[in-house]
Amino acid sequence: SYELTQPPSVSVSPGQTASITCSGDKLGAKYACWYQLKPGQSPVLVIYQDNKRPSGIPERFSGSTSGNTATLTISGTQALDEADYYCQAWDSGTAMVFGGGTKLTVL
Amino acid sequence: EVQLVQSGAEVKKPGESLKISCKGSGYSFTTYWIGWVRQMPGKGLEWMGLIYPADSDTRYSPSFQGQVTISADKSISTAYLQWSSLKASDTAMYYCARRLDSSGYRFDYWGRGALVTVSS
C-alpha cells in the first residue's frame, strides 16, 4: 500500500520560516495537499494541487513538490500556526492516503 | 454555505452497535464523494472509506474493509458510518468530509467530528 512519510515534529521561532516535508514514491507525479489540525477543531485544507491556496488561507502558506517530496512552507510563522499538519495524496491502489502528521511548535 | 453536520458524541459498551451520521447542505449532495476519517487519541488522521451518494458506490481502505459499513441516504443528504460490534479500539474522533475531485483529490469541507468512546 502507498505510504507518505512526515517528520514527527518541527520547531520554528516566531517570524521564521517553517518547512514540513512529505515523502512518498513518485509523489511528484501525484497531487499533494496539506491540512492543518488544531486541538478541538476540524482539519483545514491549507494547500492543494501541490502549491495552491484555498480562499481564506494566508499567503504565508505555500507548497512545492520535487521528485518524491512535497514541502509545506510557512513564511513568517506566527504563534497561531502551531498545529499538526498532514499531507495527503491519492494513489490508484490505496485511494486517499494521509501522512503520519507533523507537530509544528512555534517556540 | 457548504456544511457537513455530524451527529453527536457517543458512549458505548464493547459489543454494541452504532451508526453515526453526516448531513450535507449548501451544495448538491449527490455529486460529491463523502469520506470518513478516523483520529484515534493522540494519533494521526486515517482515511476509512468513501461513498458516492448518487449511487452509493463505496470504497474502503483495506485497513477498515469489513470493520465498518458506510452508507448514504440521498433523499435526506446524509451519509452514515456504522459498526455492528464495537471494540474499545474503536474509541476515536470520526470526521466526515467532502471530497473535491479536480486536479487531484482532496477534502475541502469537513464536519466537526463525532467522538466515539467505547468502554465497559
Side-chain angles (χ1 to χ4, degrees):
Chain A
S1 62
Y2 193 74
E3 294 184 358
L4 295 173
T5 301
Q6 299 180 232
S9 62
V10 168
S11 297
V12 64
S13 299
Q16 299 304 302
T17 297
S19 295
I20 301 172
T21 58
C22 172
S23 299
D25 185 43
K26 299 182 178 65
L27 182 56
K30 311 176 190 295
Y31 283 123
C33 61
W34 293 89
Y35 302 91
Q36 176 193 67
L37 180 55
K38 295 181 179 180
Q41 298 184 22
S42 302
V44 174
L45 180 69
V46 295
I47 292 290
Y48 69 95
Q49 201 177 324
D50 295 337
N51 55 21
K52 292 182 170 43
R53 278 179 292 105
S55 62
I57 301 302
E59 289 185 10
R60 64 180 181 275
F61 288 87
S62 64
S64 62
T65 301
S66 178
N68 293 330
T69 301
T71 302
L72 172 69
T73 301
I74 309 173
S75 305
T77 307
Q78 300 180 11
L80 58 84
D81 298 327
E82 188 163 286
D84 293 332
Y85 290 86
Y86 294 87
C87 61
Q88 178 250 302
W90 184 85
D91 173 74
S92 59
T94 313
M96 307 293 280
V97 181
F98 287 101
T102 299
K103 182 177 181 62
L104 177 67
T105 301
V106 183
L107 298 168
Chain B
E1 177 193 8
V2 174
Q3 286 192 314
L4 294 171
V5 178
Q6 296 189 233
S7 48
E10 302 273 2
V11 179
K12 292 288 194 179
K13 291 183 175 5
E16 292 185 332
S17 62
L18 176 65
K19 191 173 188 177
I20 62 175
S21 65
C22 170
K23 182 174 176 61
S25 63
Y27 73 101
S28 177
F29 186 73
T30 56
T31 56
Y32 292 84
W33 289 81
I34 291 288
W36 287 95
V37 176
R38 181 177 80 174
Q39 185 179 31
M40 298 176 73
K43 302 298 185 182
L45 301 177
E46 302 174 89
W47 171 68
M48 302 177 70
L50 290 159
I51 189 164
Y52 191 64
D55 59 7
S56 290
D57 185 10
T58 310
R59 312 287 168 84
Y60 291 95
S61 161
S63 300
F64 292 92
Q65 180 81 49
Q67 307 304 308
V68 297
T69 301
I70 294 171
S71 60
D73 184 341
K74 63 183 179 182
S75 69
I76 55 172
S77 301
T78 301
Y80 302 96
L81 176 66
Q82 68 181 91
W83 296 259
S84 59
S85 180
L86 286 160
K87 303 184 283 289
S89 57
D90 292 318
T91 294
M93 180 71 81
Y94 293 89
Y95 296 99
C96 65
R98 187 182 81 164
R99 193 180 82 171
L100 187 59
D101 299 353
S102 172
S103 300
Y105 300 91
R106 58 195 177 271
F107 292 123
D108 61 344
Y109 286 92
W110 294 69
R112 287 183 172 271
L115 181 62
V116 174
T117 303
V118 183
S119 175
S120 55

